[in-house]
Amino acid sequence: NMLFTMRSALAQADTEADRDTDVARVAAALSAGAVTGARGNSGVILSQILLGIAEVTADAAGDSGGNLPAIDAATLGAALWRGVE
């Protein structure tokens, strides 16, 4: 189930964020694909983690002027915690 969910997330990211260098846009596309393609409990949990990453990277992109070319350890940690919440 997690594999199918991740494949759906990747397909969405390939469609929406192809060659994009903005981590927040890629994370948002991964999240959208995972939410729509989630299978089973484990897929839903994975989609929630990706949603947390998308939310935190969007906030970080806003704080840095709208573009987030890379993600640091602190932002990744905060993103994973948001997914847990």
Side-chain angles (χ1 to χ4, degrees):
N1 287 337
M2 290 177 70
L3 176 61
F4 286 112
T5 301
M6 199 62 213
R7 283 183 178 162
S8 179
L10 182 59
Q12 187 78 22
D14 282 344
T15 300
E16 287 186 20
D18 188 36
R19 309 272 187 223
D20 202 331
T21 59
D22 183 6
V23 173
R25 287 188 53 175
V26 173
L30 286 169
S31 175
V35 168
T36 59
R39 290 195 184 177
N41 292 337
S42 60
V44 171
I45 292 167
L46 176 58
S47 73
Q48 291 301 306
I49 292 169
L50 292 173
L51 178 60
I53 294 170
E55 290 174 349
V56 169
T57 56
D59 291 344
D63 292 345
S64 69
N67 188 27
L68 188 64
I71 187 169
D72 60 15
T75 304
L76 178 60
L80 293 172
W81 274 115
R82 176 80 59 90
V84 169
E85 293 172 346

